[in-house]
mmCIF file of all heavy atoms in Angstrom:
data_model
loop_
_atom_site.group_PDB
_atom_site.id
_atom_site.type_symbol
_atom_site.label_atom_id
_atom_site.label_comp_id
_atom_site.label_asym_id
_atom_site.label_seq_id
_atom_site.Cartn_x
_atom_site.Cartn_y
_atom_site.Cartn_z
ATOM 1 N N GLY A 56 64.360 260.611 27.353
ATOM 2 C CA GLY A 56 63.263 261.369 27.950
ATOM 3 C C GLY A 56 61.897 260.887 27.512
ATOM 4 O O GLY A 56 60.888 261.579 27.704
ATOM 5 N N ASP A 57 61.822 259.687 26.959
ATOM 6 C CA ASP A 57 60.569 259.128 26.427
ATOM 7 C C ASP A 57 59.742 258.532 27.567
ATOM 8 O O ASP A 57 59.807 257.338 27.849
ATOM 9 C CB ASP A 57 60.893 258.071 25.371
ATOM 10 C CG ASP A 57 59.652 257.388 24.811
ATOM 11 O OD1 ASP A 57 58.522 257.832 25.121
ATOM 12 O OD2 ASP A 57 59.815 256.398 24.068
ATOM 13 N N LYS A 58 58.941 259.371 28.182
ATOM 14 C CA LYS A 58 58.163 258.943 29.346
ATOM 15 C C LYS A 58 56.981 258.068 28.966
ATOM 16 O O LYS A 58 56.539 257.216 29.749
ATOM 17 C CB LYS A 58 57.671 260.181 30.115
ATOM 18 C CG LYS A 58 57.265 259.902 31.545
ATOM 19 C CD LYS A 58 57.103 261.206 32.302
ATOM 20 C CE LYS A 58 56.848 260.976 33.773
ATOM 21 N NZ LYS A 58 56.795 262.255 34.518
ATOM 22 N N GLU A 59 56.459 258.258 27.754
ATOM 23 C CA GLU A 59 55.302 257.458 27.334
ATOM 24 C C GLU A 59 55.658 255.977 27.262
ATOM 25 O O GLU A 59 54.877 255.125 27.693
ATOM 26 C CB GLU A 59 54.791 257.955 25.977
ATOM 27 C CG GLU A 59 54.125 259.311 26.027
ATOM 28 C CD GLU A 59 53.001 259.381 27.058
ATOM 29 O OE1 GLU A 59 52.123 258.495 27.013
ATOM 30 O OE2 GLU A 59 53.026 260.289 27.902
ATOM 31 N N THR A 60 56.822 255.671 26.711
ATOM 32 C CA THR A 60 57.235 254.269 26.672
ATOM 33 C C THR A 60 57.405 253.726 28.081
ATOM 34 O O THR A 60 57.015 252.588 28.377
ATOM 35 C CB THR A 60 58.543 254.115 25.868
ATOM 36 O OG1 THR A 60 58.290 254.454 24.504
ATOM 37 C CG2 THR A 60 59.078 252.695 25.931
ATOM 38 N N LEU A 61 57.970 254.537 28.962
ATOM 39 C CA LEU A 61 58.136 254.125 30.362
ATOM 40 C C LEU A 61 56.789 253.763 30.987
ATOM 41 O O LEU A 61 56.648 252.730 31.649
ATOM 42 C CB LEU A 61 58.803 255.257 31.138
ATOM 43 C CG LEU A 61 59.642 254.876 32.358
ATOM 44 C CD1 LEU A 61 60.849 254.073 31.930
ATOM 45 C CD2 LEU A 61 60.078 256.137 33.096
ATOM 46 N N LYS A 62 55.796 254.608 30.765
ATOM 47 C CA LYS A 62 54.451 254.354 31.306
ATOM 48 C C LYS A 62 53.872 253.048 30.784
ATOM 49 O O LYS A 62 53.257 252.276 31.526
ATOM 50 C CB LYS A 62 53.496 255.498 30.919
ATOM 51 C CG LYS A 62 53.638 256.769 31.709
ATOM 52 C CD LYS A 62 52.596 257.761 31.218
ATOM 53 C CE LYS A 62 52.753 259.121 31.855
ATOM 54 N NZ LYS A 62 51.771 260.088 31.294
ATOM 55 N N GLU A 63 54.043 252.823 29.507
ATOM 56 C CA GLU A 63 53.418 251.659 28.872
ATOM 57 C C GLU A 63 53.987 250.335 29.375
ATOM 58 O O GLU A 63 53.269 249.342 29.486
ATOM 59 C CB GLU A 63 53.566 251.755 27.349
ATOM 60 C CG GLU A 63 52.694 252.835 26.743
ATOM 61 C CD GLU A 63 53.153 253.258 25.359
ATOM 62 O OE1 GLU A 63 54.015 252.558 24.784
ATOM 63 O OE2 GLU A 63 52.667 254.288 24.860
ATOM 64 N N VAL A 64 55.272 250.322 29.655
ATOM 65 C CA VAL A 64 55.899 249.043 30.009
ATOM 66 C C VAL A 64 56.078 248.846 31.505
ATOM 67 O O VAL A 64 56.399 247.733 31.944
ATOM 68 C CB VAL A 64 57.264 248.892 29.301
ATOM 69 C CG1 VAL A 64 57.089 248.950 27.798
ATOM 70 C CG2 VAL A 64 58.279 249.927 29.774
ATOM 71 N N TYR A 65 55.854 249.899 32.299
ATOM 72 C CA TYR A 65 56.067 249.750 33.741
ATOM 73 C C TYR A 65 55.237 248.623 34.356
ATOM 74 O O TYR A 65 55.758 247.869 35.204
ATOM 75 C CB TYR A 65 55.806 251.070 34.472
ATOM 76 C CG TYR A 65 55.882 250.908 35.970
ATOM 77 C CD1 TYR A 65 57.114 250.791 36.601
ATOM 78 C CD2 TYR A 65 54.723 250.818 36.748
ATOM 79 C CE1 TYR A 65 57.190 250.601 37.975
ATOM 80 C CE2 TYR A 65 54.798 250.626 38.113
ATOM 81 C CZ TYR A 65 56.026 250.514 38.728
ATOM 82 O OH TYR A 65 56.099 250.312 40.085
ATOM 83 N N PRO A 66 53.961 248.444 33.986
ATOM 84 C CA PRO A 66 53.205 247.323 34.582
ATOM 85 C C PRO A 66 53.867 245.969 34.366
ATOM 86 O O PRO A 66 53.827 245.100 35.243
ATOM 87 C CB PRO A 66 51.851 247.400 33.868
ATOM 88 C CG PRO A 66 51.712 248.828 33.487
ATOM 89 C CD PRO A 66 53.100 249.273 33.126
ATOM 90 N N ALA A 67 54.497 245.769 33.211
ATOM 91 C CA ALA A 67 55.190 244.504 32.953
ATOM 92 C C ALA A 67 56.410 244.370 33.848
ATOM 93 O O ALA A 67 56.741 243.266 34.312
ATOM 94 C CB ALA A 67 55.594 244.422 31.479
ATOM 95 N N VAL A 68 57.105 245.481 34.097
ATOM 96 C CA VAL A 68 58.263 245.470 34.995
ATOM 97 C C VAL A 68 57.834 245.066 36.397
ATOM 98 O O VAL A 68 58.437 244.184 37.033
ATOM 99 C CB VAL A 68 58.939 246.861 35.018
ATOM 100 C CG1 VAL A 68 60.036 246.911 36.068
ATOM 101 C CG2 VAL A 68 59.501 247.215 33.647
ATOM 102 N N LYS A 69 56.785 245.694 36.881
ATOM 103 C CA LYS A 69 56.296 245.408 38.239
ATOM 104 C C LYS A 69 55.855 243.952 38.355
ATOM 105 O O LYS A 69 56.156 243.273 39.352
ATOM 106 C CB LYS A 69 55.139 246.348 38.569
ATOM 107 C CG LYS A 69 54.587 246.164 39.979
ATOM 108 C CD LYS A 69 53.499 247.189 40.283
ATOM 109 C CE LYS A 69 52.976 246.995 41.702
ATOM 110 N NZ LYS A 69 51.929 247.995 42.033
ATOM 111 N N LYS A 70 55.172 243.467 37.354
ATOM 112 C CA LYS A 70 54.667 242.093 37.385
ATOM 113 C C LYS A 70 55.819 241.091 37.395
ATOM 114 O O LYS A 70 55.778 240.084 38.122
ATOM 115 C CB LYS A 70 53.766 241.861 36.175
ATOM 116 C CG LYS A 70 53.036 240.530 36.167
ATOM 117 C CD LYS A 70 52.095 240.460 34.972
ATOM 118 C CE LYS A 70 51.325 239.140 34.950
ATOM 119 N NZ LYS A 70 50.418 239.053 33.780
ATOM 120 N N TYR A 71 56.845 241.352 36.599
ATOM 121 C CA TYR A 71 57.973 240.427 36.561
ATOM 122 C C TYR A 71 58.734 240.431 37.883
ATOM 123 O O TYR A 71 59.100 239.366 38.408
ATOM 124 C CB TYR A 71 58.913 240.778 35.409
ATOM 125 C CG TYR A 71 60.082 239.828 35.306
ATOM 126 C CD1 TYR A 71 59.876 238.477 35.023
ATOM 127 C CD2 TYR A 71 61.388 240.264 35.516
ATOM 128 C CE1 TYR A 71 60.942 237.590 34.944
ATOM 129 C CE2 TYR A 71 62.458 239.384 35.436
ATOM 130 C CZ TYR A 71 62.227 238.050 35.154
ATOM 131 O OH TYR A 71 63.281 237.170 35.093
ATOM 132 N N LEU A 72 58.971 241.602 38.443
ATOM 133 C CA LEU A 72 59.713 241.668 39.694
ATOM 134 C C LEU A 72 58.967 240.979 40.838
ATOM 135 O O LEU A 72 59.593 240.499 41.792
ATOM 136 C CB LEU A 72 60.009 243.125 40.057
ATOM 137 C CG LEU A 72 61.139 243.771 39.254
ATOM 138 C CD1 LEU A 72 61.250 245.256 39.588
ATOM 139 C CD2 LEU A 72 62.470 243.075 39.521
ATOM 140 N N SER A 73 57.638 240.913 40.736
ATOM 141 C CA SER A 73 56.857 240.250 41.792
ATOM 142 C C SER A 73 57.146 238.752 41.852
ATOM 143 O O SER A 73 56.818 238.097 42.854
ATOM 144 C CB SER A 73 55.361 240.483 41.571
ATOM 145 O OG SER A 73 54.884 239.736 40.455
ATOM 146 N N LEU A 74 57.747 238.191 40.804
ATOM 147 C CA LEU A 74 58.071 236.764 40.787
ATOM 148 C C LEU A 74 59.327 236.447 41.592
ATOM 149 O O LEU A 74 59.562 235.284 41.939
ATOM 150 C CB LEU A 74 58.285 236.282 39.341
ATOM 151 C CG LEU A 74 57.136 236.493 38.353
ATOM 152 C CD1 LEU A 74 57.532 235.955 36.982
ATOM 153 C CD2 LEU A 74 55.864 235.826 38.838
ATOM 154 N N TRP A 75 60.124 237.452 41.873
ATOM 155 C CA TRP A 75 61.401 237.230 42.552
ATOM 156 C C TRP A 75 61.232 237.320 44.066
ATOM 157 O O TRP A 75 60.595 238.242 44.575
ATOM 158 C CB TRP A 75 62.435 238.248 42.067
ATOM 159 C CG TRP A 75 62.873 237.965 40.665
ATOM 160 C CD1 TRP A 75 62.242 238.314 39.518
ATOM 161 C CD2 TRP A 75 64.028 237.224 40.277
ATOM 162 N NE1 TRP A 75 62.925 237.854 38.423
ATOM 163 C CE2 TRP A 75 64.032 237.170 38.853
ATOM 164 C CE3 TRP A 75 65.068 236.594 40.966
ATOM 165 C CZ2 TRP A 75 65.039 236.520 38.134
ATOM 166 C CZ3 TRP A 75 66.069 235.952 40.251
ATOM 167 C CH2 TRP A 75 66.041 235.919 38.858
ATOM 168 N N THR A 76 61.795 236.359 44.763
ATOM 169 C CA THR A 76 61.688 236.286 46.227
ATOM 170 C C THR A 76 63.087 236.295 46.841
ATOM 171 O O THR A 76 64.097 236.172 46.138
ATOM 172 C CB THR A 76 60.936 235.017 46.653
ATOM 173 O OG1 THR A 76 61.604 233.868 46.104
ATOM 174 C CG2 THR A 76 59.496 235.043 46.142
ATOM 175 N N LEU A 77 63.138 236.424 48.175
ATOM 176 C CA LEU A 77 64.401 236.492 48.897
ATOM 177 C C LEU A 77 64.509 235.335 49.880
ATOM 178 O O LEU A 77 63.491 234.809 50.362
ATOM 179 C CB LEU A 77 64.511 237.819 49.661
ATOM 180 C CG LEU A 77 64.219 239.110 48.883
ATOM 181 C CD1 LEU A 77 64.408 240.320 49.793
ATOM 182 C CD2 LEU A 77 65.102 239.225 47.654
ATOM 183 N N ASP A 78 65.751 234.934 50.191
ATOM 184 C CA ASP A 78 65.935 233.889 51.205
ATOM 185 C C ASP A 78 66.000 234.521 52.586
ATOM 186 O O ASP A 78 65.815 235.740 52.740
ATOM 187 C CB ASP A 78 67.167 233.035 50.887
ATOM 188 C CG ASP A 78 68.483 233.810 50.978
ATOM 189 O OD1 ASP A 78 68.511 234.897 51.589
ATOM 190 O OD2 ASP A 78 69.498 233.315 50.444
ATOM 191 N N ASN A 79 66.311 233.721 53.606
ATOM 192 C CA ASN A 79 66.252 234.245 54.976
ATOM 193 C C ASN A 79 67.385 235.213 55.306
ATOM 194 O O ASN A 79 67.364 235.861 56.352
ATOM 195 C CB ASN A 79 66.227 233.090 55.988
ATOM 196 C CG ASN A 79 67.434 232.170 55.849
ATOM 197 O OD1 ASN A 79 68.356 232.469 55.105
ATOM 198 N ND2 ASN A 79 67.407 231.054 56.561
ATOM 199 N N THR A 80 68.398 235.335 54.423
ATOM 200 C CA THR A 80 69.444 236.335 54.631
ATOM 201 C C THR A 80 69.118 237.645 53.931
ATOM 202 O O THR A 80 69.818 238.639 54.110
ATOM 203 C CB THR A 80 70.803 235.826 54.092
ATOM 204 O OG1 THR A 80 70.765 235.802 52.655
ATOM 205 C CG2 THR A 80 71.121 234.439 54.629
ATOM 206 N N GLY A 81 68.081 237.619 53.089
ATOM 207 C CA GLY A 81 67.735 238.785 52.283
ATOM 208 C C GLY A 81 68.221 238.670 50.858
ATOM 209 O O GLY A 81 67.842 239.470 50.000
#
């Protein structure tokens, strides 16, 4: 239930996921 840690690291999660792309099948 530690929401503060979630808040602090979420920007890093979003930034990392932005590096991943999909091919033409998805």
Side-chain angles (χ1 to χ4, degrees):
D57 177 8
K58 199 167 186 176
E59 290 306 308
T60 294
L61 208 65
K62 283 182 186 177
E63 289 161 12
V64 300
Y65 174 76
V68 173
K69 182 176 181 179
K70 187 176 181 181
Y71 181 63
L72 284 174
S73 72
L74 303 180
W75 288 82
T76 56
L77 310 181
D78 66 17
N79 58 8
T80 71

